[in-house]
């Protein structure tokens, strides 16, 4: 996978995210100018702290569809350069803990390192890092891949941390839209103008899909297959209907079983 980081689509994507200013909200990818336009105001909000969020009307709005530009975007999670299993989703979810967590320096530093693809250590997929086991992502992902962890645990002599590290190095989750929302309702006319979306689709289409066709990478299109524009093949699993709404990757799902086979478990 060493050559992946040299591909123009990879270099352009990561370079653009590294140029994004994370000093003060709103946090927006360069050239996602459509989010700053007046007609987009009803689709975005800027809340800068946990204290502000719990006092905001959106705190109790279960169907809040606005993109929260006061939270760090999460275009991907895991190593774009070295992961072997890519799971394509729609956008990062939202819960109060996200605002609380980003008030912690260690969390922000780790999040920015992930965005910049400079995260070091045994756990490049942050949701499986024991040091951040209290975060929202760590509550979302482990239950969905616990069966894979268990099988890797058995294959690694009962060493839980070694099993976690192996899976963490294998997985990368990629979002079609990088901004958090509690519920999703961004119109397609706006999505089509997001350069962040165009850049990540370009990377997947030009880098990951060809690798999957050669059997080097497993690609699971778990959400919004039509907007990702990717067709099914031997190592490309495209969810349809209820599969796509749930987006599961447990061993009871097609994607989860493909992951197990790909990992040799």
């Amino acid at each position: 996978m060493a050559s992946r980081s040299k591909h123009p689509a990879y270099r352009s994507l990561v370079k653009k995210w590294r140029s994004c200013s994370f000093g003060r909200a709103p946090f927006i990818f360069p050239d996602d100018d459509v989010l700053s336009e007046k007609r987009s105001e009803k689709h975005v909000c800027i809340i800068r702290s946990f204290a502000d969020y719990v006092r905001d009307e959106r705190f109790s709005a279960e169907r809040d569809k606005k993109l929260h530009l006061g939270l760090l975007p999460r275009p991907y999670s895991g190593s774009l350069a070295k992961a072997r299993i890519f799971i394509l989703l729609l956008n990062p979810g939202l819960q109060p803990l996200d605002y609380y967590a980003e008030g912690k320096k260690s969390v922000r530093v780790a999040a920015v390192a992930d965005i910049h693809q400079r995260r070091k250590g045994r756990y490049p997929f942050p949701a499986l890092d024991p040091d951040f086991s209290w975060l929202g992502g760590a509550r979302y992902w482990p239950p969905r891949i616990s069966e894979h962890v268990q099988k890797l645990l058995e294959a690694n002599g009962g060493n839980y941390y070694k099993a976690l590290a192996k899976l963490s190095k294998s997985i990368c989750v990629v979002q079609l839209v990088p901004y958090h929302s509690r519920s999703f309702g961004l119109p397609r006319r706006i999505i089509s103008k997001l350069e962040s979306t165009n850049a990540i689709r370009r990377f997947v289409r030009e880098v990951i899909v060809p690798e999957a066709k050669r059997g080097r990478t497993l690609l699971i299109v778990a959400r919004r297959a039509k907007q990702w524009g990717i067709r099914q093949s031997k190592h490309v699993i495209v969810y349809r209907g209820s599969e796509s709404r749930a987006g599961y990757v447990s061993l009871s799902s097609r994607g989860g079983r493909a992951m197990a086979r790909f990992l040799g478990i």
Side-chain angles (χ1 to χ4, degrees), residues 148-223:
H148 298 84
V149 174
Q150 182 59 40
K151 287 187 173 293
L152 283 170
L153 185 62
E154 296 167 2
N156 285 276
N159 188 318
Y160 181 71
Y161 298 100
K162 189 173 182 179
L164 274 186
K166 182 172 182 177
L167 195 55
S168 181
K169 292 173 182 175
S170 300
I171 293 177
C172 184
V173 170
V174 179
Q175 306 286 357
L176 182 71
V177 174
Y179 308 105
H180 294 260
S181 68
R182 195 163 183 174
S183 183
F184 194 81
L186 196 65
R188 288 195 180 188
R189 62 175 176 80
I190 294 181
I191 295 175
S192 66
K193 295 180 179 180
L194 292 176
E195 182 54 32
S196 56
T197 295
N198 294 331
I200 199 67
R201 278 195 292 217
R202 192 177 307 120
F203 167 75
V204 172
R205 186 170 56 247
E206 296 181 10
V207 182
I208 304 306
V209 171
E211 285 187 8
K213 289 181 178 179
R214 294 194 295 270
R216 297 174 59 192
T217 300
L218 174 66
L219 180 58
I220 302 171
V221 189
R223 300 291 308 278

Side-chain angles (χ1 to χ4, degrees), residues 10-20 29-30 76:
Y10 171 96
R11 294 169 68 90
S12 175
L13 174 68
V14 175
K15 182 179 180 180
K16 276 288 188 76
W17 274 113
R18 287 178 179 175
S19 72
C20 185
F29 183 78
Y76 36 72

